[in-house]
Amino acid sequence: MMGISPWQLLIVLAIVIMLFGTKRLRGMGSDLGEAIKGFKKSVGDDDKTDADTDPKKVEAPDSADASQTDSTADKDKSKTH
């Protein structure tokens, strides 16, 4: 099997430029570059948060949850007395 020659690549490139135009190709290239940068950034952020998080640590309940639990316990005590 033969590979793609440089001439064939030039012909395909010329056809793509004629179909889409240079402005549109430039815009698609910059959009693709920004998407790749954003993807790399999000993957890097996930790695940092995973490294910082210790699975053995248990998160403390929010203050709103704690106050709700306390008020519920107070109501239960008042019913039994």
Side-chain angles (χ1 to χ4, degrees):
M1 292 204 306
M2 299 181 75
I4 298 174
S5 71
W7 289 109
Q8 291 171 333
L9 286 175
L10 286 174
I11 292 171
V12 170
L13 180 64
I15 292 171
V16 168
I17 289 173
M18 283 191 282
L19 287 175
F20 294 108
T22 55
K23 277 188 177 181
R24 192 166 176 189
L25 288 175
R26 207 174 315 149
M28 285 192 293
S30 64
D31 290 344
L32 180 64
E34 289 177 20
I36 291 171
K37 285 179 186 178
F39 178 75
K40 285 181 180 180
K41 183 178 178 183
S42 67
V43 168
D45 290 345
D46 287 345
D47 289 343
K48 289 179 185 176
T49 56
D50 289 343
D52 294 339
T53 306
D54 187 10
K56 294 180 182 177
K57 291 183 181 178
V58 177
E59 292 183 20
D62 293 338
S63 60
D65 292 339
S67 64
Q68 184 180 13
T69 306
D70 292 341
S71 64
T72 307
D74 292 338
K75 288 179 185 177
D76 290 341
K77 286 181 184 178
S78 63
K79 288 181 183 179
T80 57
H81 292 282

